[in-house]
Amino acid sequence: WVSCTYAQHSSRSGFWRQFSTSHGNLHTNHQSHQHATTGSLDPKEAAKFAALSASWWDPSGPFAPLHRLNPARCKFIAQAVCATRGLDVGTTPEPLRGLTALDVGCGGGILAESLARMGAQVHAIDVTEENVCVAQQHSQLDLLTQQRIRYECVPAESLINRPQRYDLVVASEVIEHVKRPDDFMRTLSALLKQDAPPSATTTSTDASSSSSSSGACASSSSSSLLIVSTLNRTLPSYAVAILGAEYVLRVVPPGTHDWHRFITPEELTMMAAQVGLQPSMMAGMVLGAGGLLRLSEDLGVNYIGAFRWQAPAESASASGQDH
């Protein structure tokens, strides 16, 4: 249901052509790329995406793989949030309603717009000014995304000294491009709220019906979540993401990815544990019908994980049980 609801809004007919024509300087004058202080992100990686910025909303362009995986990652995010908040994903039209979300490395806004349509108030950030410009322009096409998304050209590290913290932090297809992924995970963890997010808004009818439901569905003691999607460092991922995508099919420009920067699920889980996060869900994303990716148990190439902040009291309790 999520793919049907949110994938329909993943692109706007003709937008990318119109934007490419009226903002051609974004991809023809490579010397003018503007970046925020990039923090843990490699400036060379930021420059790659800046050079392609006008193509973000072209569903058959260099960012086509992101359009194809967007339904799967949205479905996963909805499932992870509903599981944490005790909601039924199949009957919750806006599973992120009432939550604040931070989209780190938002690019042209593909995922940010989906998060907004799932009900979240979204703060979407990127270190490349060209990307933020494209995202802002596209969000103006819909009143809902105008009202629910705030874009900013700033690195995640710069948000640490600000007071705001988020119920949901998402870094999708970003961590494989950073110089220090462990420091990046520490930053993402620090931006999570360390208390329970608000329970979902219900009508009086919903409230009365929920009184007879299970305790899990009525729970409001859920914690904030970090969602990370990336590429596994395996031979299949090299064959698919680099040889296949970059050199055979050429769906993305050669050099887009560095296989040595890919991160295994075990490495990601260890980095999360070092900053007080524990995994709550993990799934692979594999090619399905119609060329779209679907969720799978196969983590061999693309995968996505949800990590829950572990409160000190909870951690201490778990430690005591171990002894």
Side-chain angles (χ1 to χ4, degrees), residues 23-100:
H23 295 76
N25 62 304
L26 290 185
H27 59 90
T28 58
N29 185 1
H30 295 179
Q31 300 303 316
S32 65
H33 299 322
Q34 299 295 316
H35 311 297
T37 302
T38 53
S40 58
L41 185 66
D42 189 332
K44 293 181 181 179
E45 296 293 302
K48 291 179 187 177
F49 293 100
L52 301 169
S53 58
S55 301
W56 274 104
W57 288 94
D58 176 1
S60 60
F63 296 108
L66 293 181
H67 288 274
R68 293 170 187 163
L69 70 79
N70 197 51
R73 64 184 176 183
C74 287
K75 182 175 183 178
F76 179 89
I77 292 169
Q79 291 177 343
V81 169
C82 284
T84 304
R85 303 178 74 195
L87 301 175
D88 180 356
V89 69
T91 59
T92 307
E94 291 192 335
L96 307 188
R97 176 170 287 278
L99 301 184
T100 56

Side-chain angles (χ1 to χ4, degrees), residues 102-290:
L102 176 67
D103 182 7
V104 178
C106 65
I110 297 171
L111 180 57
E113 292 198 9
S114 293
L115 296 175
R117 290 192 171 87
M118 285 192 277
Q121 289 294 324
V122 183
H123 184 191
I125 65 172
D126 200 282
V127 298
T128 304
E129 186 176 347
E130 293 91 338
N131 291 344
V132 172
C133 181
V134 171
Q136 287 176 328
Q137 289 280 342
H138 195 268
S139 70
Q140 298 304 304
L141 299 177
D142 189 306
L143 181 61
L144 184 147
T145 54
Q146 283 185 45
Q147 295 175 338
R148 292 185 179 178
I149 306 175
R150 175 170 64 94
Y151 287 105
E152 186 176 6
C153 184
V154 65
E157 290 82 359
S158 294
L159 302 184
I160 296 295
N161 295 326
R162 300 185 189 179
Q164 184 175 6
R165 294 297 180 264
Y166 304 86
D167 302 306
L168 178 69
V169 174
V170 183
S172 183
E173 312 307 306
V174 175
I175 196 169
E176 67 270 22
H177 298 286
V178 306
K179 293 181 292 186
R180 299 179 296 277
D182 52 343
D183 289 345
F184 185 63
M185 286 290 286
R186 182 172 293 106
T187 296
L188 299 179
S189 173
L191 293 170
L192 287 168
K193 285 183 180 177
Q194 297 188 357
D195 54 6
S199 58
T201 302
T202 58
T203 63
S204 57
T205 302
D206 293 334
S208 61
S209 63
S210 67
S211 62
S212 60
S213 62
S214 67
C217 290
S219 172
S220 62
S221 60
S222 54
S223 62
S224 52
L225 284 176
L226 169 64
I227 306 287
V228 178
S229 70
T230 189
L231 287 152
N232 197 351
R233 193 175 63 255
T234 61
L235 290 179
S237 74
Y238 184 83
V240 171
I242 295 182
L243 293 180
E246 296 186 13
Y247 294 97
V248 178
L249 300 177
R250 293 191 175 273
V251 293
V252 295
T256 298
H257 294 105
D258 180 349
W259 182 80
H260 296 93
R261 287 187 170 184
F262 291 2
I263 297 171
T264 69
E266 294 78 13
E267 290 168 343
L268 186 63
T269 299
M270 289 178 62
M271 286 187 282
Q274 290 172 355
V275 295
L277 299 173
Q278 60 181 8
S280 61
M281 290 177 63
M282 193 168 286
M285 294 183 286
V286 300
L287 191 64

